[in-house]
Amino acid sequence: MVMEKSKIKELIAKIEKLPTLPVVVARINAMVQNPKTSAREVGAAIATDPSLSARVLKMVNSAYFGFPSQISSISHATTILGFNAIQNLALTATVFQLFRDNSGDELFDRRRFWEHSLGVGVLSRLLAEKTRYADKEEAFTAGLIHDVGKIVLDQFVHEEFKAVMGLVRANDMLLYEAESRLLGLNHANVAYIVSQKWNLPKKLQEPLAYHHAPGLSKYNPQLTGIVHLADILCRALKIGNGGDNKVPVLDKAAVADFKLNASDIEQLKNVSEKEIEKAEVFLEML
Amino acid sequence: MSPLPQSTPSISRSLADIARQIKALFDEVDQVAREDFSRPVSTDVRVSGFSLTEPLNVLLNQVRARLVEKAETARLQQDALDELSKSRDEIENLRSLSAAIALAQTRDEIVELLRSTIRDKVIPFGGSALYQGSEELGFTLTGAWDTTEADAREIDRQKTAGFLQWVIRAHTTIAMPAEGKYPTAVYVPMNAGNQVIGILLLLTPRAVDEFTQSDQERVQMLCSQAAVALENARLVDQVLQMKQYNENILISLTSGLLAVDLDGRVTTLNPSGLSILNMAAPDILGRQLSEVPRLDSFARLLSDTISTGQDRRNIELELNFGEHRQILGVSASPILADQDRVIGALGIFTDLTPIKTLELQVRRSDRLAVVGQLAAGAAHEIRNPLSAIRGNIQLLNRKLQKLPEAEPLLVKTKSIIEEVDRINRIVAGMMDMSKDGALQLARVSINKVVRDVGYIVEGNYKEAGVGLEFVLDELLPDVQVDMAEMKQVFLNLYQNALQAMSTNGKLMVTTSRTVVGEGKDFVQVLVADTGAGIDEKHVEKIFAPFFTTKSDGTGLGLSIVHRIVEEHKGRITVESVVGKGTTFKVLLPAAPAGSAPPAPQVPASQTPAETAGG
Ligand SMILES: Nc1ncnc2c1ncn2[C@@H]1O[C@H](COP(=O)(O)OP(=O)(O)OP(=O)(O)O)[C@@H](O)[C@H]1O
Ligand SMILES: [Fe+2]
Ligand SMILES: [Fe+2]
Ligand SMILES: [Mg+2]
């Protein structure tokens, strides 16, 4: 089924109504790129948004990081968890804030959706550790927001998305295939538009845009492969629900370099439950 | 808010103008925000010939605010890019320094370089400490530098706070507030690959929130480089230690160890092995074992081991050293590489020669002991028929004395009586010697002892055509001796002398009185033979048990002699000239004059019955 170009354009126009990220997030992104930025400067930037500060501090002090003592300032959190981690936390806290409307409907269960997202975040983090990806927190964030396109569709083109969900239910098919068929673009494509509009860190863009087609990744194929695999593992392990009940085919080439074997996967499975529990503080932000 | 005036065309033109300008501005802003950060952004919006009304002002101010924000972000981005490229250079710089760290050999060198590089290039710091270990085994403090007492306390306090464990798990650098002189404690994990092998703790004057990403990255990079170097140094050390350990084992091994490669070339022979084989390393190391004289049986054993790949345990090998032979106990096994590939063979061996000799001697002395017991029993049995013979001959003798024509026969009977008496003396001597237990001292003349023992060996001497002569000082003081023991002394000396001499030799036994030291009276017995003499290098060994040069000797004779003389507080020495003869000198303390009654003199002619059981 070929979609009319104009229809797709219309859709994109609607999606682009999505609010911009608060300027503080963009500023932090820029600051963190500068190696000479001090922890104090990051703290001061986040402090301009007191509610963001509070949410970031809450996560910093959660079981997820398990730091042995109370961390009372963002600047100190920055020297402990690292500049990138704070940047990622600020981004996550903001994204969650934007989509905190949890009402949903009987077709798309937002609660289950965020559980799926958290699961993919945690598994991405574990996989990052296993495959020695440079930044585990970045992997967590990538996993956590990989399906942000679904939420955007649900929020900004609700009627169309409802039709997609109906198709998924009726045919027991993959959500992104139903999206492509009915809308002419899927949630990964939408995530790309979002990441452009939000000017997300480059390393995060491909994992969001290509998590269902990791072969397309050029700039950050490792993290793209990680999120691709984490997504499939989460579905196989039935952690949360991303909107469909099918498990997509694994792109073996994208994960071949990870050199994972059955016992690695088994081990991931065993630790994931506890790790997800630790990360549940993120869902509390919704 | 008042409504916009819309009636005049000029107003609408102006509005269109403003709208265009605003749109252009937005475009510009978007452009800047999206990619072109370096372009200057004009924040100056002019609307000519028109006074803006309130809503437009609001709009314009919003635009301006957004513009400023975006420009600000753009400036930050630009700064970031500038710093990034600067920091790339710095990191390049550090990399060459860290290469030096990687080249350092010892732990101390590595840590010293690491600390000085961090101090010169990254952050100033005062006291520092290093923890080393592994996630499985835990970490311990292995070094501290420039720490004052207060620093040491602070380091201790930090340790108990649990941050160390967190850093070990998270593998990331953290800065924590500290107490005391320095406001901050920096923990840097030393990551070698995926493993933390250490934590460097630095007390620094820099405040916690003054830390930059670049500080963290750079200490982290240096420490990780040092970690790899430390890990390498540890591995090298381990290998060296292992090698040293193996060498120590080889050196301390009391057994010999000899290894050959597939060509039968000797690759290893430990010091014990060299001394057992009585060889120097250059004579054998690297040589073909089969080409080493007298080790051909060893070579055969090892080449068998290589070809069969089987262990051989406790093999006795006889090595021929000319007339000398040596027996080795060898266990051989193949040397395996990769569990199954034979790359040589090794033999572990001990010298069995002393044990074998000992075995032989023990067997022989056991036999002698049995013979001795038999002889004692036999002696007893002999003396009864002997006294009957003597009595009858004496009777015959008396009868013959009454017959003048029997005169020539009297010579015969006398001779028979003398011979019987001689048998009696020998037998009595043998019975004396079979006694044992505590010394039974009696006061006797040493002349009698040396003479009596002479009777025992007389026959053997005659048979060998060797003379036996006594030069006895009749005025000698007595000695206090155990007869049985003292007879053993001279019996052994006479026997050794006889064994050392050939026909026409002569043994000369001389007694005399001598004074030793502070006027102590001694009786001296010289036992001088004209035999082969004792090789100079054997002289000091002859009194040692089991030293013998005779194929059927026990080597016990002289050791017994020595023990007995010592027991009597005497002394025995030897002088010998090879080819000329040997003289043993026995000194015994003289018994104090008249202090004890003389021991009952046993007359040579005494009847056996009188001494039996005595
Ligand atoms: N008179 C001697 N002349 C030359 N060598 C002697 C003499 N006496 C002893 N020796 C040397 O001393 C060694 C030790 O003597 P020792 O009496 O202890 O043992 P042995 O005579 O060899 O053995 P055994 O006493 O069992 O016959 C002898 O083997 C011999 O080499
Ligand atoms: Fe997805
Ligand atoms: Fe997903
Ligand atoms: Mg002897």
Side-chain angles (χ1 to χ4, degrees):
Chain A
M1 188 186 312
V2 181
M3 291 297 301
E4 286 171 46
K5 259 217 169 123
S6 62
K7 268 227 169 131
I8 298 177
K9 271 193 174 163
E10 217 174 277
L11 207 68
I12 290 175
K14 282 184 185 166
I15 290 166
E16 284 196 321
K17 287 217 188 78
L18 160 94
T20 52
L21 276 191
V23 80
V24 56
V25 176
R27 189 176 302 152
I28 292 166
N29 287 351
M31 283 170 80
V32 166
Q33 279 174 49
N34 184 341
K36 287 289 163 67
T37 302
S38 72
R40 183 166 38 77
E41 291 168 297
V42 172
I46 295 183
T48 60
D49 183 340
S51 101
L52 178 63
S53 289
R55 274 175 286 141
V56 170
L57 271 182
K58 186 178 172 191
M59 289 187 281
V60 160
N61 283 303
S62 71
Y64 176 73
F65 289 107
F67 194 69
S69 77
Q70 180 77 22
I71 303 170
S72 52
S73 71
I74 301 278
S75 62
H76 194 198
T78 310
T79 68
I80 292 171
L81 304 178
F83 288 68
N84 286 329
I86 296 301
Q87 174 196 6
N88 284 315
L89 282 180
L91 176 64
T92 314
T94 310
V95 172
F96 275 52
Q97 188 69 10
L98 285 178
F99 302 109
R100 65 187 314 186
D101 174 14
N102 236 343
S103 50
D105 49 42
E106 72 285 3
L107 282 176
F108 187 66
D109 182 339
R110 286 222 182 167
R111 185 78 207 171
R112 301 272 287 144
F113 164 80
W114 284 115
E115 280 167 17
H116 166 74
S117 301
L118 190 70
V120 176
V122 167
L123 282 171
S124 295
R125 190 178 196 271
L126 292 172
L127 281 169
E129 203 166 344
K130 265 239 141 47
T131 64
R132 301 195 186 185
Y133 182 70
D135 190 340
K136 286 180 289 183
E137 294 315 319
E138 185 175 272
F140 177 73
T141 304
L144 202 55
I145 63 175
H146 78 286
D147 273 342
V148 70
K150 290 179 189 171
I151 290 274
V152 171
L153 286 173
D154 190 38
Q155 200 140 320
F156 295 92
V157 288
H158 190 64
E159 287 312 309
E160 289 89 333
F161 193 60
K162 253 168 96 174
V164 169
M165 287 308 295
L167 187 65
V168 167
R169 285 292 157 84
N171 296 3
D172 186 21
M173 62 195 298
L174 281 164
L175 179 57
Y176 71 83
E177 282 172 1
E179 288 164 346
S180 298
R181 188 177 305 174
L182 281 189
L183 310 178
L185 80 184
N186 63 35
H187 65 271
N189 306 139
V190 174
Y192 179 75
I193 298 169
V194 172
S195 66
Q196 291 299 305
K197 180 155 171 95
W198 285 351
N199 201 10
L200 290 186
K202 256 193 160 165
K203 285 179 180 169
L204 286 179
Q205 289 181 11
E206 288 189 346
L208 266 56
Y210 301 138
H211 70 270
H212 291 300
L216 295 177
S217 177
K218 294 277 162 326
Y219 178 74
N220 195 359
Q222 188 179 355
L223 189 52
T224 307
I226 284 173
V227 173
H228 171 69
L229 178 56
D231 181 51
I232 288 172
L233 285 175
C234 253
R235 294 159 181 262
L237 299 174
K238 304 227 176 328
I239 299 170
N241 185 292
D244 55 18
N245 294 311
K246 294 204 74 140
V247 182
V249 180
L250 178 72
D251 182 343
K252 289 209 176 89
V255 299
D257 281 352
F258 300 171
K259 302 210 167 51
L260 297 171
N261 53 38
S263 76
D264 291 327
I265 302 293
E266 188 61 29
Q267 200 205 335
L268 279 180
K269 219 166 89 182
N270 292 336
V271 294
S272 61
E273 197 180 328
K274 232 174 96 197
E275 291 296 314
I276 288 172
E277 219 169 272
K278 281 196 216 161
E280 253 153 25
V281 62
F282 287 89
L283 294 189
E284 289 165 19
M285 287 189 302
L286 290 167
Chain B
M1 195 192 290
S2 56
L4 283 173
Q6 296 181 345
S7 48
T8 61
S10 76
I11 289 175
S12 61
R13 219 182 309 119
S14 292
L15 275 178
D17 186 35
I18 291 168
R20 240 192 339 275
Q21 282 193 49
I22 290 173
K23 186 170 184 322
L25 253 177
F26 272 119
D27 282 352
E28 193 177 3
V29 166
D30 274 353
Q31 189 74 18
V32 168
R34 228 167 242 161
E35 68 230 11
D36 193 1
F37 307 122
S38 54
R39 248 176 54 188
V41 181
S42 60
T43 52
D44 195 18
V45 181
R46 274 181 220 292
V47 182
S48 51
F50 199 81
S51 152
L52 284 174
T53 52
E54 185 63 18
L56 263 179
N57 252 334
V58 170
L59 180 63
L60 202 56
N61 283 337
Q62 277 176 357
V63 169
R64 187 170 285 138
R66 201 172 152 212
L67 194 64
V68 168
E69 269 172 3
K70 291 213 167 181
E72 164 76 351
T73 306
R75 193 185 54 73
L76 285 173
Q77 296 264 17
Q78 187 55 47
D79 286 356
L81 284 180
D82 292 351
E83 286 297 345
L84 211 59
S85 72
K86 253 193 267 168
S87 123
R88 219 170 275 142
D89 291 349
E90 282 172 26
I91 286 187
E92 224 29 72
N93 244 332
L94 277 187
R95 225 180 272 288
S96 58
L97 275 169
S98 64
I101 294 178
L103 283 180
Q105 297 286 314
T106 66
R107 188 197 85 126
D108 290 353
E109 271 173 43
I110 294 166
V111 175
E112 193 44 51
L113 253 168
L114 173 65
R115 291 175 58 254
S116 64
T117 310
I118 292 176
R119 181 175 284 144
D120 297 348
K121 305 284 173 190
V122 189
I123 40 168
F125 61 89
S128 57
L130 178 65
Y131 295 90
Q132 283 180 282
S134 66
E135 282 174 64
E136 300 88 60
L137 300 175
F139 287 76
T140 46
L141 184 69
T142 58
W145 297 265
D146 311 331
T147 46
T148 63
E149 236 173 75
D151 291 348
R153 262 200 310 280
E154 179 56 22
I155 287 169
D156 231 43
R157 194 189 69 83
Q158 290 283 340
K159 193 186 178 186
T160 53
F163 306 133
L164 209 61
Q165 277 63 39
W166 196 83
V167 172
I168 289 161
R169 257 188 299 115
H171 296 208
T172 53
T173 301
I174 68 170
M176 293 302 297
E179 286 166 9
K181 185 176 166 200
Y182 296 100
T184 307
V186 184
Y187 294 71
V188 199
M190 310 189 78
N191 303 329
N194 232 0
Q195 303 227 48
V196 180
I197 63 156
I199 305 282
L200 185 65
L201 184 69
L202 307 171
L203 294 175
T204 160
R206 183 171 300 183
V208 168
D209 61 3
E210 289 302 321
F211 271 83
T212 67
Q213 239 183 137
S214 135
D215 296 336
Q216 287 196 338
E217 269 167 16
R218 280 182 291 168
V219 281
Q220 184 60 70
M221 190 192 86
L222 289 171
C223 274
S224 294
Q225 192 67 256
V228 172
L230 277 181
E231 189 63 3
N232 287 344
R234 194 182 62 82
L235 289 178
V236 167
D237 234 46
Q238 215 170 44
V239 170
L240 282 181
Q241 257 175 28
M242 192 56 116
K243 198 163 167 258
Q244 187 64 51
Y245 181 73
N246 287 341
E247 270 164 20
N248 281 340
I249 287 180
L250 284 188
I251 289 170
S252 355
L253 203 62
T254 53
S255 302
L257 186 147
L258 185 149
V260 294
D261 61 16
L262 282 180
D263 299 332
R265 234 181 296 279
V266 178
T267 55
T268 308
L269 180 54
N270 68 341
S272 296
L274 285 169
S275 94
I276 290 172
L277 298 178
N278 197 14
M279 289 181 134
D283 299 342
I284 181 163
L285 278 183
R287 281 182 62 187
Q288 205 80 34
L289 187 60
S290 54
E291 284 169 9
V292 178
R294 71 192 157 71
L295 291 183
D296 49 336
S297 56
F298 207 146
R300 266 198 308 280
L301 174 65
L302 291 186
S303 75
D304 276 3
T305 307
I306 289 175
S307 57
T308 60
Q310 298 289 318
D311 288 355
R312 308 276 306 271
R313 306 238 167 242
N314 303 321
I315 308 292
E316 278 182 23
L317 288 184
E318 209 170 308
L319 310 182
N320 288 313
F321 284 71
E323 83 270 25
H324 211 72
R325 66 191 187 117
Q326 193 178 19
I327 299 162
L328 297 186
V330 187
S331 288
S333 32
I335 303 173
L336 300 179
D338 318 326
Q339 324 247 304
D340 56 353
R341 195 161 47 86
V342 178
I343 58 163
L346 63 82
I348 294 185
F349 56 97
T350 47
D351 190 357
L352 294 183
T353 317
I355 294 172
K356 288 277 152 191
T357 316
L358 207 64
E359 256 175 32
L360 216 69
Q361 284 164 344
V362 168
R363 241 181 273 144
R364 193 176 292 149
S365 61
D366 278 354
R367 218 159 42 225
L368 284 182
V370 171
V371 171
Q373 276 164 9
L374 279 177
H380 202 79
E381 293 304 311
I382 288 167
R383 294 181 91 184
N384 292 331
L386 215 54
S387 57
I389 291 171
R390 195 174 188 277
N392 284 330
I393 295 285
Q394 243 170 357
L395 200 67
L396 187 64
N397 195 32
R398 272 203 291 276
K399 295 248 162 104
L400 286 177
Q401 274 172 353
K402 292 170 187 162
L403 300 173
E405 70 276 16
E407 180 76 40
L409 286 178
L410 272 177
V411 186
K412 300 277 186 215
T413 52
K414 258 204 187 110
S415 152
I416 290 174
I417 289 170
E418 274 168 25
E419 289 304 314
V420 168
D421 283 347
R422 200 165 79 84
I423 292 173
N424 222 336
R425 280 195 301 272
I426 295 170
V427 171
M430 282 167 64
M431 285 177 66
D432 278 352
M433 272 185 287
S434 65
K435 282 188 300 189
D436 54 11
L439 286 184
Q440 296 184 344
L441 293 179
R443 196 182 172 109
V444 291
S445 161
I446 201 70
N447 289 346
K448 179 179 154 34
V449 178
V450 296
R451 200 68 199 77
D452 278 2
V453 178
Y455 294 130
I456 300 176
V457 297
E458 226 170 41
N460 298 346
Y461 269 69
K462 234 175 235 157
E463 200 178 302
V466 175
L468 179 57
E469 198 181 322
F470 293 90
V471 180
L472 305 177
D473 179 350
E474 294 303 331
L475 299 174
L476 270 185
D478 286 339
V479 286
Q480 290 263 25
V481 298
D482 182 311
M483 278 292 276
E485 299 257 85
M486 204 44 71
K487 280 183 177 174
Q488 281 231 36
V489 168
F490 294 101
L491 184 61
N492 276 314
L493 292 178
Y494 296 173
Q495 273 174 344
N496 280 348
L498 181 59
Q499 284 160 357
M501 289 186 286
S502 43
T503 322
N504 294 329
K506 191 176 90 180
L507 182 70
M508 180 98 126
V509 181
T510 314
T511 60
S512 59
R513 173 182 192 161
T514 181
V515 175
V516 177
E518 305 146 13
K520 277 189 186 146
D521 245 355
F522 276 83
V523 169
Q524 170 181 294
V525 185
L526 295 177
V527 181
D529 67 51
T530 57
I534 303 169
D535 202 316
E536 206 180 315
K537 66 173 188 268
H538 291 157
V539 169
E540 57 185 32
K541 296 185 194 159
I542 57 171
F543 293 109
F546 304 116
F547 175 80
T548 180
T549 56
K550 298 164 193 169
S551 59
D552 60 347
T554 65
L556 289 170
L558 283 182
S559 75
I560 292 170
V561 166
H562 190 259
R563 174 181 58 77
I564 294 172
V565 173
E566 297 264 296
E567 269 172 9
H568 285 88
K569 309 225 156 35
R571 233 168 281 168
I572 179 163
T573 53
V574 63
E575 261 170 43
S576 183
V577 179
V578 176
K580 283 269 155 65
T582 305
T583 300
F584 283 91
K585 181 164 84 180
V586 179
L587 285 173
L588 292 168
S595 68
Q601 291 286 311
V602 184
S605 59
Q606 186 196 14
T607 54
E610 280 169 77
T611 48

